[in-house]
Amino acid sequence: MRSKFSENRRQFLRWAWWASLISLLPSKASAQSAWHDQDGGFRNNYIPAIDKPLADVRRAFAGERPPLLNFPLATNSPEQLRANKTQTTVTWIGHCTILLQIQGLNILTDPHFTERASPFTFVGPKRGTPPGMRLDDLPPIDIILVSHNHYDHLDFATQLHLAKHSPQAHVFVPLGLKQWFKGKGFAQVTERDWWEEVTYKGARLTAIPTQHWSRRGLLDSNKTLWCGWTVQTDDFSFAFLGDSGYSKDYIDIKNKFGGFDLAAIPIGAYAPRWFMQDVHQNPEEAVQCLQDLGARRGLATHWGTFQLTFEPMDEPPQRLATAMTENGIPLDDFMVLKHGETRIL
Ligand code: ZN
Ligand code: ZN
């Protein structure tokens, strides 16, 4: 009869054998990458974890915000956009929502077409200018690119509408958001980590790092990833940054891709500076970003649509123009479009 001691010893050895095997496996952090936290969340490449004390949040959002402005809408031609299969065009619908047409593909970024950037329909940052196109006027969407889960980028009602009326659309999201989109009814959702790519309908899409954060509920800070996207076809190369503070990530992106024909770059939501600078670049940094990325042209996003922060809503393009002039860059190299304006590239 075996003694209890030898049975325990045998069990210990068995456990140790398995433990030694498991210890050979790379830990989650090292197997994946430096931006993965041990607890399954995410962090930025070039700044420590963003964890603002509540007192700072209160101080940053105290006081009265500048007035909500309404900008004039441009007229566009949904019929022409729908018929277009050859020209490269870009239409700024508002905030970070862009319709990009390349190589016959209709690509929509961070689609937001409702009244508020908020979990609620009755309170939260309100839209000052209507979307530059109606949802129902969009051409058939092939690709939806999503940068992160903040309410000004990821809108519940818009996604429900798109899932129902554009079931052919393939949604590309950063890590942690696939189930959210599946739950809204999209059949095709692909999740990617930073630097991971996927080829779809002849376009190479890559999730790229941005300096930002994520949160949608009370207890889910940085539990899903944030990112930008690049889209490369045979003759055009595009970068979409979503939301980002200025960081060395831009140089890393340039080093990987060698530059872009067009980059959609955020220029607004930067005040108060002491609070916002880690996660929202200002217009001067946006100009540096254009240069760091090696982009031939920029398109200004993340301004003029929702009243999110404390700079006047018409200030970002003014400061952008000044910064462009000071850097000797032609103003048209960083396009500031009207809501709804289409440019043929
Ligand atoms: Zn954001
Ligand atoms: Zn944003």
Side-chain angles (χ1 to χ4, degrees):
M1 195 175 151
R2 282 185 208 140
S3 72
K4 197 156 188 228
F5 174 76
S6 68
E7 182 60 31
N8 285 346
R9 186 165 172 274
R10 200 187 315 270
Q11 270 188 10
F12 172 77
L13 289 175
R14 204 177 297 139
W15 174 85
W17 186 85
W18 279 109
S20 67
L21 202 73
I22 288 165
S23 72
L24 291 176
L25 298 171
S27 71
K28 191 175 179 200
S30 60
Q32 295 184 319
S33 289
W35 55 90
H36 288 248
D37 273 339
Q38 295 292 347
D39 62 2
F42 302 95
R43 56 176 171 246
N44 287 295
N45 281 328
Y46 293 110
I47 51 169
I50 292 164
D51 193 12
K52 306 274 190 205
L54 195 59
D56 279 6
V57 179
R58 283 215 190 97
R59 184 156 72 93
F61 287 94
E64 200 158 320
R65 293 182 206 201
L68 180 69
L69 298 183
N70 175 270
F71 294 91
L73 281 176
T75 34
N76 50 45
S77 170
E79 298 73 29
Q80 273 178 21
L81 291 170
R82 196 174 281 271
N84 176 34
K85 300 280 184 279
T86 52
Q87 280 180 319
T88 301
T89 78
V90 63
T91 304
W92 186 50
I93 292 168
H95 204 57
C96 279
T97 308
I98 300 164
L99 171 67
L100 179 75
Q101 300 187 293
I102 36 176
Q103 211 168 277
L105 292 171
N106 294 313
I107 301 170
L108 195 61
T109 63
D110 281 354
H112 195 309
F113 287 78
T114 62
E115 272 301 291
R116 288 184 193 274
S118 164
F120 310 105
T121 54
F122 55 92
V123 70
K126 199 170 163 11
R127 183 184 286 274
T129 305
M133 271 184 93
R134 293 181 337 123
L135 258 175
D136 292 333
D137 286 341
L138 290 170
I141 298 300
D142 299 287
I143 292 173
I144 297 174
L145 300 176
V146 175
S147 66
H148 65 305
N149 70 357
H150 285 153
Y151 286 94
D152 54 322
H153 299 257
L154 179 48
D155 182 58
F156 178 81
T158 302
Q159 300 301 345
L160 274 187
H161 184 103
L162 286 167
K164 194 167 171 205
H165 298 280
S166 301
Q168 76 289 344
H170 195 130
V171 191
F172 295 88
V173 301
L175 287 184
L177 285 178
K178 181 172 177 171
Q179 285 316 314
W180 191 96
F181 278 86
K182 284 274 184 184
K184 302 300 165 283
F186 284 103
Q188 309 179 84
V189 186
T190 297
E191 214 174 56
R192 282 292 179 268
D193 197 357
W194 289 348
W195 305 117
E196 284 183 343
E197 61 181 59
V198 53
T199 300
Y200 183 70
K201 291 191 174 179
R204 188 157 65 109
L205 315 177
T206 309
I208 50 171
T210 53
Q211 184 166 288
H212 202 60
W213 65 299
S214 71
R215 190 171 78 194
R216 212 160 161 84
L218 290 175
L219 300 168
D220 62 352
S221 281
N222 301 334
K223 294 296 181 214
T224 64
L225 188 60
W226 50 95
C227 74
W229 289 94
T230 61
V231 181
Q232 293 165 295
T233 63
D234 294 340
D235 52 14
F236 200 82
S237 155
F238 170 68
F240 169 66
L241 285 190
D243 227 348
S244 190
Y246 178 76
S247 83
K248 290 187 208 148
D249 290 309
Y250 301 151
I251 299 286
D252 299 338
I253 295 165
K254 161 82 186 303
N255 288 342
K256 177 167 171 66
F257 296 97
F260 301 93
D261 295 303
L262 177 70
I265 297 174
I267 66 165
Y270 46 80
R273 201 73 203 117
W274 64 270
F275 187 80
M276 293 295 173
Q277 67 181 353
D278 285 345
V279 292
H280 287 152
Q281 63 194 3
N282 64 20
E284 295 77 29
E285 290 166 333
V287 171
Q288 189 59 52
C289 165
L290 179 81
Q291 295 172 311
D292 290 359
L293 289 174
R296 288 202 299 118
R297 278 184 123 178
L299 169 66
T301 62
H302 211 266
W303 74 277
T305 309
F306 300 107
Q307 174 58 288
L308 299 173
T309 49
F310 286 80
E311 77 272 12
M313 284 184 74
D314 54 357
E315 187 185 86
Q318 294 164 11
R319 277 177 55 171
L320 185 73
T322 307
M324 296 284 284
T325 306
E326 281 170 1
N327 281 275
I329 305 170
L331 288 186
D332 203 45
D333 283 4
F334 205 138
M335 297 180 284
V336 176
L337 302 185
K338 285 183 179 170
H339 295 76
E341 186 173 349
T342 300
R343 281 283 174 93
I344 297 168
L345 302 170

